[in-house]
């Protein structure tokens, strides 16, 4: 079945460095992908909606200069956490919808990326 | 804005039924979802219901929707230890790029 691949699954980095997370739709095209953040024992918070070929739409309170989103193709969106700090440590999850099928079950989630900033 | 609320914890005895409740505020919701998340993993879609339905059953899972009260529930029959996880309720309004709003998640634990 359709799969969303998210990479890496976990990353440890030093404070001040940048980290890139990739989200790929493997066998379907996705004009729209979503990036979520999840703190321990908390819910998923929508960070931004990634739109292929145009700028991402960020939710209120999310710094667009800190969380750079690029959606250059119909199968790939990237989230770059710039100048990461320990408070950015979190679980990041992407999701993508099969653009050819609007049905509810055609939204797929990646397996998530655990980011730890030292 | 849209809001989805759930209780944080539920403990049930193995073999009993689990009922997880959720309330939402967006009257334009079209789809309502139940996701399962196991530790350190992504989200697994368990089931969903379209807003014009009252009930949906899928094997051990039964979803009930009261659109008037904006209340959604998930019943898991014959709860097993493998059902231990966090269950998220989520709602989506209607548009070509609708975002999904998640509840806080209910942690289900199973007692022997």
């Amino acid at each position: 079945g359709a799969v969303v691949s998210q990479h890496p699954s976990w990353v440890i980095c030093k404070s001040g460095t940048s980290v890139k997370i990739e989200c790929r739709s493997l066998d379907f095209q996705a004009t729209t992908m979503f990036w979520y953040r999840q703190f321990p024992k908390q819910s998923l918070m929508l960070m931004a909606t990634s739109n292929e070929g145009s700028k991402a739409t960020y939710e209120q309170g999310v710094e667009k200069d800190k969380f750079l989103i690029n959606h250059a193709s119909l199968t790939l969106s990237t989230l770059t956490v710039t100048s990461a700090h320990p408070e950015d440590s979190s679980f990041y999850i992407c999701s993508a919808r099969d653009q050819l099928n609007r049905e509810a079950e055609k939204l797929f989630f990646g397996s998530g990326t655990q980011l730890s900033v030292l | 804005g849209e809001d989805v609320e759930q209780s944080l914890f539920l403990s049930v005895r193995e073999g009993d039924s689990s009922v997880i409740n959720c309330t939402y505020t967006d009257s334009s919701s079209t789809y309502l979802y139940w996701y399962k998340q196991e530790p350190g993993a992504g989200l697994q879609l368990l089931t969903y219901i379209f807003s014009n339905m009252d009930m949906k059953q899928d094997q051990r899972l039964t979803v009930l929707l009261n659109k008037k009260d904006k209340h959604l529930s998930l019943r898991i029959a014959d709860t097993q230890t493998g059902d231990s996880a966090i269950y998220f309720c989520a709602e989506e309004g209607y548009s070509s790029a609708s975002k999904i709003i998640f509840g806080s998640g209910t942690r289900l634990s199973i007692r022997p």
Side-chain angles (χ1 to χ4, degrees), chain A residues 36 38 43 59 97 105 107, chain B residues 37 48 92 98-100 103:
Chain A
Y36 290 85
Q38 184 182 32
S43 187
E59 295 299 303
R97 169 167 278 126
E105 65 265 39
L107 179 68
Chain B
Q37 186 182 35
Y48 69 95
E92 179 181 9
S98 293
K99 56 189 183 184
I100 294 180

Side-chain angles (χ1 to χ4, degrees), chain A residues 63-77:
Chain A
E63 298 175 61
K64 60 181 180 182
D65 294 331
K66 180 162 187 65
F67 299 100
L68 299 179
I69 292 173
N70 183 278
H71 194 153
S73 77
L74 286 171
T75 59
L76 174 64
S77 175

Side-chain angles (χ1 to χ4, degrees), chain A residues 19-78:
Chain A
V19 174
K20 180 185 284 187
I21 303 170
E22 292 188 348
C23 181
R24 292 180 185 272
S25 55
L26 293 188
D27 57 0
F28 66 96
Q29 294 182 330
T31 53
T32 304
M33 294 185 178
F34 303 92
W35 287 98
Y36 290 85
R37 181 175 183 178
Q38 184 182 32
F39 291 103
K41 299 183 180 180
Q42 293 188 28
S43 187
L44 283 76
M45 180 191 79
L46 179 66
M47 298 175 66
T49 302
S50 172
N51 305 299
E52 186 268 335
S54 64
K55 292 182 179 180
T57 304
Y58 289 82
E59 295 299 303
Q60 192 172 5
V62 178
E63 298 175 61
K64 60 181 180 182
D65 294 331
K66 180 162 187 65
F67 299 100
L68 299 179
I69 292 173
N70 183 278
H71 194 153
S73 77
L74 286 171
T75 59
L76 174 64
S77 175
T78 61

Side-chain angles (χ1 to χ4, degrees), chain A residues 89-105:
Chain A
S89 299
S90 188
F91 192 60
Y92 294 86
I93 305 177
C94 71
S95 68
R97 169 167 278 126
D98 183 343
Q99 68 175 64
L100 296 180
N101 196 329
R102 179 64 181 79
E103 294 173 27
E105 65 265 39

